[in-house]
Structure formats: C-alpha cells, structure tokens
Amino acid sequence: MTDEEALVAVEREVGLMFRRGRARVAELSRRVHPELEGLGYSMLAYIEQAGRVRVTDVGVHFAVGKATVSRQIRALEELGLVAREVDPQDRRAALVSLTEDGRKRYLAAYGVRMRRVREVMGGWSQEDVARFAELLHRFNDVLGEPPAQ
C-alpha cells in the first residue's frame, strides 16, 4: 500500500467511525431520554466527568457558541437531567451538574455503551487495545490542533 493509499484508507475508516459514532450517540441519547439530542448526551458525559462545571466551559469544550450551549443546557434542565446554580466565586457565571436522575440515566446508558465496547474488543489482546487507545489519543491530539497555515 502506498502512502497515499494508506491516507485514503485512514480517511475512509475515520469517516465510517464518525458516522457510526453519531448513530450510536443518537441511540444512547434516546436511552437517557426520548427527547435528548446527541449533543445533549455528549454534554451530559462531559458534565458527569467534570462534576460541577461552568456553562461557558461546556461551550469551550464543545467549541460551540454561547447561544448553542445555553440552548442545550436549558433543554437538559427542562428534561430534569442537569441543575444550574450561580457560581459562588463569580455571581455572573452559572455552574451546571447532573441531577440525581440525570446521573442515573446517563450511567445506565454509559453501561450499555461500555458493554458494547467490551463486546467489540473482546477478541483483541490487551496490548492491541492499549496500542489502539494510544493511537486514537495521538490522532485526537492532532485533530485538536489549529490547522497549519
């Protein structure tokens, strides 16, 4: 395989992984709540990991504007999945965290997700799984960098 063929193969496989990932996130979103959108599920995952986080930090993490993050957080609040509170260190800012119901619903969907990962990778050696994780991390680091001029 030439260098160009290898790059085309990587691009094709990454595209397929992204398409399947979006479909999987949509499915997991519905497991959490029938009205939850995919971005909302991803935000729940970030908030669960962060604990209590500023709404502006959620927007920065997902590279979305203030209007988008506000709309998504409001939808999560209306579904009873997150709670918003005033940041005691900066009364102008808001913090969000998962509600008890939001955490329970998210963790149930996450459990399904991890069972699927274990099932898919069950035949892989521990070394292959570790190497794959390392390569994906490296790839994601590069994707997060600003494009070369």
Side-chain angles (χ1 to χ4, degrees):
M1 181 180 292
T2 67
D3 287 351
E4 186 63 23
E5 289 169 333
L7 290 173
V8 168
V10 166
E11 193 282 328
R12 181 182 56 245
E13 295 301 324
V14 167
L16 178 60
M17 184 174 61
F18 285 163
R19 286 189 302 280
R20 287 180 176 166
R22 278 193 300 273
R24 191 75 178 132
V25 165
E27 177 188 323
L28 290 167
S29 298
R30 288 188 297 274
R31 282 183 179 276
V32 172
H33 193 285
E35 296 174 38
L36 184 63
E37 296 177 14
L39 180 57
Y41 175 83
S42 297
M43 286 185 176
L44 284 179
Y46 176 70
I47 295 166
E48 198 282 328
Q49 179 185 15
R52 236 172 53 173
V53 64
R54 283 184 175 198
V55 172
T56 53
D57 291 339
V58 175
V60 168
H61 179 79
F62 288 96
V64 296
K66 186 177 180 179
T68 299
V69 74
S70 292
R71 184 174 53 253
Q72 289 291 327
I73 295 295
R74 187 170 37 258
L76 293 172
E77 281 182 291
E78 289 170 2
L79 295 174
L81 302 172
V82 301
R84 187 187 313 231
E85 63 186 277
V86 174
D87 183 343
Q89 296 180 357
D90 181 353
R91 313 268 309 137
R92 299 166 296 170
L95 297 171
V96 289
S97 57
L98 297 186
T99 61
E100 186 176 325
D101 186 48
R103 178 168 282 104
K104 182 183 86 173
R105 288 170 175 260
Y106 169 75
L107 291 175
Y110 179 76
V112 168
R113 178 177 162 191
M114 287 308 299
R115 278 193 297 281
R116 178 68 177 141
V117 170
R118 284 185 192 92
E119 175 185 301
V120 167
M121 304 203 76
W124 292 39
S125 71
Q126 189 277 331
E127 294 81 16
D128 283 350
V129 173
R131 180 72 175 141
F132 186 58
E134 178 186 321
L135 291 170
L136 282 173
H137 178 77
R138 187 170 145 199
F139 185 76
N140 280 320
D141 276 352
V142 172
L143 282 182
E145 295 174 2
Q149 297 297 325

